[in-house]
Amino acid sequence: MGFENGKREKIHFIGVGGIGMSAQAMHEHFTGKEVSGSDPYSSERTQYLRSLGIKVYDRHEETNVEGVDEVVMTPAIPKDNPEYVAAIKNNIKITMRIDHFRRILEPFKGFAVTGTDGKSTTTSMLANSLINLGADPYVFLGALHNKLEHGNYRKGSEETKVVVYELDESQPGFEQFCPDYLIITNIREDHLENYRDLEHYYSCFETLIKNSKFVVTFADEGKYKGHATFGLYSGDFKMVERKQEGFRQIVTIITPWGEKKLFLPVPGYHNALNALAVVTLLSSVGYNIDDVLNSFHDFTLPGRRFNVSYDNPSRKLTIVDDYAHTAEEVEVLLKTAKEVYPDRKVVVIFQPHRYTRLKREAERFSKVLQLADEIYVTEVYGAFESKNGASARKIVESIPKAIFVEQLDELKNLKFEDGAVYMFVGAGDIYNVSQEIIKVLSVQ
């Protein structure tokens, strides 16, 4: 693989540091292709790619694609990008990332996870279980996980030919995939700015369902009925009781094989539902349900999912990082924090993600953030979106005592109290601030 007429195929990724791009680049690297990439933003992923021997340029230049057979890019790359211009001028094959990903997946038996909330966690649960069940899968994850040898990628067995992958629903095109097995965690009306209208958004899910051989859906939503369903109030697999014991929880579920117990070593109602989705799929397609339940014994959450980044037992001072960025995710995160730390003050520092989401959900954010005892809201992380006069000040206007933080650096002046849990929440660069604060706290 990766060779033609004795010549090593060369493939170049524009924006290689992205979580999806980096996984695809690693896959091509391990199949024997000569891989390079460019990304002006240095990150943990670009550094890791370099450690594998992949050439990563820190500037976009025409010379980066000299002698390359194929260029992989996303629609976000502007048409005046010098590498794109050079590829056009030199008749180099140009492939969109999503098309390249579909091509990679073709030879495999595919297990996919999509939906608005919980994709990365559910994908990592599914991968963890299949690894423990002996399937030895390839894995493409939209986060970092310590069970995967390369963080967001795992090279699996060429014999089993199984792949687990996270399928991002934020842009049209995901419906063109054809997984053998599909979990839809939930469907909420997010990322609507990328679709023509609501009908277009739902039609994409309908097409994906038709393209999939076996589908698991969330019964409580009632939007689509899969071949197997899970839920709290309805479904083939139902969660009937949940006991939180610190970070660990015991979940009682009703299954076609009777009542079962799931011992889950991570907290949160939402994670119990994510695990139930995986149990529903794997036991429905032939795996022994008791083996599936036991496969969660060593599961840990992916990065920035209720990640305890700092904990000082003597001060009872804890810092948690979490990627939550929809109102529903923030709500379940804060409820989980109250369960895990019932006697502690919970402080939330929330960085909204995308102006379009802010406009759509500001009122809902204002409501759910009040689950915390103390609230700080930073300005929006735009993710390349235009501001159009929007500001996160709108969220705090209706919250008594909430504090608006205009510049992230202001957070470094926070007084960290003993007995409190500080939740740094958002999908943007707020994580960098929490890590800087932790460095200071660690030497005090």
Side-chain angles (χ1 to χ4, degrees), residues 244-255:
Q244 187 75 48
E245 299 177 351
F247 257 69
R248 179 175 177 264
Q249 56 182 315
I250 303 168
V251 186
T252 304
I253 57 178
I254 300 297
T255 79

Side-chain angles (χ1 to χ4, degrees), residues 361-386:
E361 297 195 47
E363 188 176 330
R364 180 95 170 100
F365 280 126
S366 296
K367 182 180 178 181
V368 302
L369 286 169
Q370 294 183 64
L371 291 166
D373 302 303
E374 196 171 304
I375 302 158
Y376 296 85
V377 178
T378 78
E379 192 51 277
V380 177
Y381 181 83
F384 307 108
E385 286 189 344
S386 171

Side-chain angles (χ1 to χ4, degrees), residues 122-265:
T122 307
T123 304
S124 60
M125 284 178 170
L126 181 55
N128 189 84
S129 290
L130 283 170
I131 290 168
N132 288 344
L133 291 166
D136 198 8
Y138 282 77
V139 182
F140 294 84
L141 182 64
L144 301 181
H145 196 274
N146 58 17
K147 187 87 171 192
L148 308 185
E149 59 188 315
H150 301 291
N152 57 333
Y153 173 74
R154 181 181 192 269
K155 186 178 185 298
S157 166
E158 280 298 304
E159 292 180 10
T160 57
K161 282 284 187 183
V162 170
V163 64
V164 178
Y165 60 99
E166 183 174 340
L167 190 49
D168 181 12
E169 89 306 345
S170 65
Q171 298 270 0
F174 75 98
E175 75 280 2
Q176 297 170 24
F177 286 73
C178 300
D180 294 273
Y181 308 105
L182 172 69
I183 291 173
I184 302 178
T185 58
N186 46 60
I187 305 175
R188 306 194 215 283
E189 294 161 7
D190 197 24
H191 299 291
L192 295 184
E193 65 278 3
N194 297 329
Y195 292 83
R196 290 192 302 272
D197 49 34
L198 198 56
E199 184 180 348
H200 179 212
Y201 177 72
Y202 281 109
S203 73
C204 288
F205 280 99
E206 290 164 9
T207 300
L208 177 65
I209 289 169
K210 289 174 185 174
N211 286 344
S212 306
K213 293 179 182 175
F214 191 95
V215 183
V216 167
T217 56
F218 183 32
D220 294 356
E221 280 186 338
K223 290 186 174 76
Y224 301 107
K225 190 177 189 308
H227 299 91
T229 59
F230 69 98
L232 180 62
Y233 306 107
S234 57
D236 305 314
F237 293 72
K238 285 190 287 189
M239 179 167 64
V240 293
E241 188 180 14
R242 190 177 67 87
K243 292 181 181 178
Q244 187 75 48
E245 299 177 351
F247 257 69
R248 179 175 177 264
Q249 56 182 315
I250 303 168
V251 186
T252 304
I253 57 178
I254 300 297
T255 79
W257 297 273
E259 186 175 288
K260 298 285 183 180
K261 298 281 188 187
L262 169 62
F263 297 88
L264 195 60

Side-chain angles (χ1 to χ4, degrees), residues 310-318 344 417-420 444:
Y310 176 84
D311 191 51
N312 186 326
S314 64
R315 293 184 61 184
K316 285 193 175 180
L317 173 60
T318 304
R344 308 267 291 276
E417 301 176 25
D418 293 1
Q444 286 179 353

Side-chain angles (χ1 to χ4, degrees), residues 307 309 319 321 430-440:
N307 177 222
S309 302
I319 291 179
D321 285 294
I430 192 168
Y431 176 75
N432 299 334
V433 177
S434 76
Q435 298 312 291
E436 289 180 35
I437 289 169
I438 287 166
K439 284 179 185 176
V440 174

